[in-house]
Amino acid sequence: MVETTLHNPDAISTAEEARAIRLTRARRRSRNNIFRHIFLIICSLIMIYPLLWMVSASLKPDNEIFGTLWLWPSEFQWNNYVEGWDALVVSFSRFYMNSIIITVLSVIGNVISCSFAAYAFARLEFNGRNIWFSLMMMTLMLPYHIVLIPQYLLFLQLGWIDTYLPLVVPKFLATDAFFIFLMVQFFRQLPRELDEAAMMDGCSPFKIYWAIIMPLSIPAMATAAIFSFIWTWQDFLGPLIYLNDVKDYTVPLALRMFLSQDSVSLYGEMFAMSVLSIVPIFLFFVIFQRLIVQGIAMSGLK
Amino acid sequence: MAGVSLKSVNKKYGTVEAIHSIDLEVNDGEFLVLVGPSGCGKSTLLRMIAGLEEITDGTISIEDRVVNDVPASQRNLSMVFQSYALYPHMSVRKNLAFGLSNMKMPKPEIERRVADAARILQIGELMERKPRQLSGGQKQRVAIGRAIVREPQLFLFDEPLSNLDAELRVQMRVELAGLYNRLGTTMIYVTHDQVEAMTMATRIAVLSNGHLEQLGTPFELYNFPQNRFVASFIGSPKMNMLEAEAKGGAVELADFGSLPLGDGVSDGSLAVGVRPSQFLVGDEGDVHASGKITLVEYLGSEMFIHVQLASGRVMMVQAPGHSVYKLGDEIRLGISRRAAHYFDSAGLRVPLFDKQDS
Ligand SMILES: Nc1ncnc2c1ncn2[C@@H]1O[C@H](COP(=O)(O)OP(=O)(O)OP(=O)(O)O)[C@@H](O)[C@H]1O
Ligand SMILES: [Mg+2]
C-alpha cells in the first residue's frame, strides 16, 4: 500500500506541482512585501518631512531656512535655542509655566468630571437617561466656532476674561462629550456583576466608581488624558480669545508673537521654540500610553 | 442562620411578568435548590432575595425581618456569582477583605476571617495572586471565600459551578456539600444541573415560566412529581409519557392494552408516566408490549435502549450495563401499575398508588 502511493507517478507530479505553486507564491509574496515596504517608507517620509524640516530649521542660520529644501544645516546654530528662550518680552519659562498650569488642570478636570458623567450614563438609573445621552452626543456635532461667541459673552458677563477660568473651569464640568462617550463605552464592557458584587460588599455608588470602575478603566482614563493634554497644550484659539496680557500667554500664543514682531531675523529662534513646544506632548504620550497597555494587562478582563 | 420567606412575590419587567406570585418558605439551615429550564426566572428570584433586583409586589423576609427596602449589603447574606465577579485589580487577599473593610471591621478580625476562609478552602498559597493568575476552580474557591468571610446568615449561589469542566464540577460539588455540612448556614442554590440539585439539596424548588411547580425533597420530587412538568424535568433520561383514556376503572393504553387501576380513577384522559428504569423486561408487570430496539446507548454501568412499539411510539428503557441487547432485537416490555405515575387532563398528579408506596 505504502509502496504504491510512494511510487505512484501521479502522486509525485502532484507533489512537485504543489511545490512549484508554493515557490511562485512565496516569490510573489516577497516581491509584494518589498513594494509594500518601499511604498510605506515613502509615505512615512512624506509625513515626517515637515517635522524634520522644523527641527533642521531650528538649527540653521536664518538665511538658509527658506533658501533650500536640503535638511542638513551648513552650520549648527544651537544658539537659537538659548536665545529663543528669552527672545520675547517675557521669558519662555513663564509661558511654559502658564501652559502647564492650564493643561494639567484641564487634564485633571476632564478625566475626573467626564468619568463621573460617564459612570452615571453607563451605570446609574435616572429619568431621561437616554435623552440626556443623545443630547450630549449631539454636542459632538457642534463646531467649536459656533459656540465661541455665546461662550465669550457668557464669560464676559462673569468677568472671567483675562483669567484662566474660561479655559479651565469648563473642563471640570464634563463639557467634552467625546471623552464621556469614550468612557461610557469602556465602562459598559465591564461586567455588571462586578458592580453587584461590590454592592453586596457594602459599596455606595461612589465607592463602586472609585474602588472598582476607575482602577479597571485606566486605559480609558489614560486615553482621555493623552487627548486632553494634546488638545489643551496646542489650543490656540481659546487662549487667544480669553487672554490679553502677555504675561498670561501660553506657549502657542508666544510662538505666534515671533511673527508679529517686525524683525525677520527671529525665524531660527521661533523654530527652536516650536521644537521645544512639542517635547511635553511627546513625553506625556510616552508615559501615558504605557499606562494604557499596563491597564489592559492588569484588568485581565477577557 | 436564618429562614427566608417569600409571600406572593411578583416581578415584572415592563409588562412582561418574569415571576408570578411565588410563595416559598426556606427553613433555617436548609439547602434549597432552585431548578428549572433556562429563562424560568431562577436568577431573577435569587437576585430579588439578594436585593439586587426590586420586587414588583409581595414581601420577602429574612429571619422574620421584611427586607423589601433593605439594601443588599445590609441583608446579612452573601452571593456567589456565576462569573465569580472577582475584582480583577485586587489580590485574592484584598478580594476577600474588601467587603469586611467596607464594614469598618477591626483589622485583626478581618485577618482572622480571611485566614479562616483561606484554610477552609485551601487557598493559602494563592493569597497574593491576582484573579487572572488563577485557574477556574481556584477562582471559584476565592469567590466562595469572599462569601464566607462575611459569616452571613444566608448564602446565595447562582449556578456557581457551570463554568467549570465536568470533573472539577464534581469535585467542587462535593466540597460545597462539605462546606454546607460544616457551616450549617441556610443556602439557596440556583442550578439547571439535575445532579447538582438532587445530590446537594435538602429541598428542591422546581420553577417553570415564573411559577413554582413543586417544592419538596429530592425523594418526593423523583417519586411523587406533582405534575407533568416536574415529572419530565426531574430524572434523566426523561420519563416516558403514554397518553391514554381512562374508562370504568381501567386505562386503555396503546400497544400495552388495558391496565386496571381500581375505583380511584375517574373517566377521561389520563397520562401514564413510566421512568426508563421502571420498565420491566420480559414477562413481569401488569401489561405488556413488544417492540424493536432502534438504538442502544451504552454507558458502562447501564444502558439506555430506545424501543419502537407497534404504534411507532419510542420508549426509553434503562437496562443494566451487562445486558446484551443489540440493535434490531425484539424486546418485550412490561409496566407495573404501582410503579407508574398518573396525570389527569390538567397535568396534575392522580395519587393512585402513592400511599402504599410511601
Ligand atoms: N433586566 C431584564 N429585563 C427584561 N427581562 C428580563 C431581565 N432580566 C431577566 N429578564 C427575563 O426574565 C426571565 C427570567 O430570567 P432569569 O435570568 O431569571 O432566567 P434564569 O432562570 O436564571 O435562566 P438561566 O438558566 O438561563 O440563567 C427571562 O425570560 C428573561 O428574559
Ligand atoms: Mg440565570
Side-chain angles (χ1 to χ4, degrees), chain A residues 30-82:
Chain A
S30 69
R31 194 169 347 117
N32 279 349
N33 257 343
I34 291 170
F35 282 134
R36 205 174 296 149
H37 277 94
I38 291 175
F39 177 74
L40 289 176
I41 287 170
I42 290 175
C43 284
S44 44
L45 280 180
I46 293 174
M47 300 283 231
I48 207 171
Y49 180 79
L51 187 67
L52 295 179
W53 186 87
M54 187 172 78
V55 174
S56 91
S58 74
L59 293 168
K60 281 177 181 172
D62 276 346
N63 57 358
E64 253 177 58
I65 292 178
F66 297 109
T68 161
L69 277 180
W70 184 239
L71 288 178
W72 202 257
S74 62
E75 188 187 344
F76 283 82
Q77 300 281 319
W78 296 105
N79 241 356
N80 281 344
Y81 283 83
V82 182

Side-chain angles (χ1 to χ4, degrees), chain A residues 80-130:
Chain A
N80 281 344
Y81 283 83
V82 182
E83 280 163 14
W85 192 264
D86 288 315
L88 300 173
V89 277
V90 179
S91 146
F92 261 85
S93 311
R94 182 68 193 250
F95 297 138
Y96 269 84
M97 213 48 229
N98 296 339
S99 268
I100 287 172
I101 291 173
I102 293 176
T103 310
V104 166
L105 286 176
S106 295
V107 169
I108 294 174
N110 260 336
V111 169
I112 292 180
S113 66
C114 291
S115 67
F116 272 11
Y119 177 66
F121 279 125
R123 284 300 206 261
L124 305 182
E125 311 244 323
F126 53 91
N127 281 337
R129 181 169 73 169
N130 292 338

Side-chain angles (χ1 to χ4, degrees), chain A residues 210-248:
Chain A
W210 186 252
I212 309 293
I213 301 285
M214 207 178 63
L216 290 178
S217 305
I218 286 173
M221 306 277 172
T223 310
I226 289 175
F227 278 116
S228 179
F229 188 97
I230 295 176
W231 291 342
T232 318
W233 183 265
Q234 62 180 212
D235 183 19
F236 181 73
L237 198 54
L240 179 71
I241 293 167
Y242 293 114
L243 303 178
N244 296 321
D245 190 339
V246 179
K247 282 208 274 312
D248 296 335

Side-chain angles (χ1 to χ4, degrees), chain B residues 39 42-44 82 158-159 190:
Chain B
K42 308 180 291 289
S43 298
T44 307
Q82 180 176 355
D158 192 355
E159 308 204 19
V190 166

Side-chain angles (χ1 to χ4, degrees), chain B residues 1 76-77 113 144 185 261 304 324 343 345:
Chain B
M1 285 191 281
N76 201 1
L77 48 80
R113 289 191 181 196
I144 295 172
T185 315
L261 295 175
F304 297 115
V324 286
F343 302 97
S345 52

Side-chain angles (χ1 to χ4, degrees), chain B residues 33-198:
Chain B
V33 173
L34 297 173
V35 286
S38 189
C40 68
K42 308 180 291 289
S43 298
T44 307
L45 195 60
L46 195 75
R47 291 163 53 80
M48 289 196 294
I49 298 173
L52 295 173
E53 204 84 62
E54 296 255 325
I55 61 177
T56 311
D57 213 354
T59 55
I60 296 182
S61 19
I62 299 176
E63 205 178 28
D64 304 325
R65 174 172 70 131
V66 175
V67 293
N68 285 15
D69 299 318
V70 178
S73 59
Q74 281 156 38
R75 294 191 181 189
N76 201 1
L77 48 80
S78 292
M79 181 156 170
V80 176
F81 294 87
Q82 180 176 355
S83 64
Y84 316 135
L86 300 177
Y87 310 123
H89 57 300
M90 297 184 195
S91 66
V92 169
R93 183 183 302 283
K94 280 240 184 79
N95 262 284
L96 296 186
F98 184 66
L100 302 182
S101 49
N102 280 343
M103 297 182 341
K104 306 257 177 335
M105 190 177 279
K107 275 253 163 55
E109 175 67 5
I110 295 181
E111 268 162 33
R112 181 190 70 73
R113 289 191 181 196
V114 170
D116 271 0
R119 189 171 39 76
I120 293 175
L121 297 163
Q122 297 163 357
I123 49 176
E125 321 85 90
L126 311 174
M127 296 309 275
E128 308 312 325
R129 292 206 202 162
K130 294 277 170 65
R132 69 170 185 279
Q133 299 163 320
L134 302 177
S135 72
Q138 291 169 333
K139 279 185 196 154
Q140 182 60 63
R141 264 175 243 242
V142 176
I144 295 172
R146 192 171 61 180
I148 65 179
V149 287
R150 306 183 59 201
E151 299 183 357
Q153 47 178 348
L154 173 64
F155 280 109
L156 305 176
F157 296 90
D158 192 355
E159 308 204 19
L161 307 185
S162 59
N163 284 348
L164 303 178
D165 64 42
E167 199 178 327
L168 201 51
R169 202 178 306 166
V170 173
Q171 186 192 337
M172 288 304 296
R173 201 172 76 207
V174 173
E175 285 186 21
L176 266 178
L179 189 72
Y180 167 65
N181 289 334
R182 176 171 185 160
L183 302 175
T185 315
T186 316
M187 301 198 172
I188 304 179
Y189 187 105
V190 166
T191 181
H192 57 242
D193 184 315
Q194 274 202 40
V195 184
E196 273 173 39
M198 297 293 279

